[in-house]
Amino acid sequence: MELLDAPLLLEGGTGLGKTRAYLAAIKEYEGTVAIVLPTIQLMDQLLASSDLGAVGLQVEAFRRADLFGSRSEYTAHREQAMQSRVLLCTSASIMIDQRLRGDYNGATNRDYLLFDEADQLPSAAA
């Protein structure tokens, strides 16, 4: 399958079903994807929603080191996230991963990066 590198922008109102639609498309795609959200709170909101279960998609959410009790716990989590087919992470982690050439969480080494809630990126970057 040929990978496309041009950005695609999808817009629509709240409750339209955009999230479930892109999750269903990712479920059918066999390559690696990073779903990028501006904040940890939005990551947690997606994880708690019914959307992942409705499409049967398994994701690994990348968390920063200070959220773990030990370095070994974080290292095991990081490895699992890097090996996952679908990674869920924050936009801040993408910036770090890019600077480290994919050695932070591996998001920038994936076939596709999907930025959800991208309208919030400027305020998250600020």
Side-chain angles (χ1 to χ4, degrees):
M1 169 185 258
E2 180 183 347
L3 297 178
L4 304 176
D5 64 358
L8 171 64
L9 177 63
L10 300 174
E11 293 184 84
T14 303
L16 203 62
K18 299 178 302 291
T19 301
R20 196 167 287 190
Y22 78 64
L23 292 174
I26 291 170
K27 169 86 167 141
E28 296 303 313
Y29 177 64
E30 294 179 6
T32 58
V33 177
I35 301 170
V36 185
L37 290 158
T39 65
I40 291 173
Q41 292 79 11
L42 287 170
M43 280 178 41
D44 290 340
Q45 183 179 321
L46 176 58
L47 290 168
S49 77
S50 62
D51 291 330
L52 289 168
V55 299
L57 183 63
Q58 189 76 12
V59 302
E60 283 296 326
F62 177 77
R63 310 279 185 181
R64 60 184 194 262
D66 66 320
L67 298 175
F68 293 87
S70 69
R71 186 69 182 175
S72 62
E73 199 178 330
Y74 165 70
T75 301
H77 159 76
R78 180 177 162 265
E79 285 301 315
Q80 185 173 345
M82 289 180 82
Q83 296 303 316
S84 68
R85 189 179 75 77
V86 182
L87 175 70
L88 184 61
C89 61
T90 64
S91 51
S93 75
I94 292 292
M95 291 182 261
I96 296 166
D97 194 59
Q98 215 249 310
R99 296 287 293 171
L100 296 176
R101 294 184 170 89
D103 287 336
Y104 181 58
N105 62 10
T108 57
N109 293 332
R110 297 187 173 251
D111 298 330
Y112 286 104
L113 297 174
L114 187 147
F115 289 85
D116 194 356
E117 304 289 347
D119 58 317
Q120 294 187 25
L121 286 175
S123 61

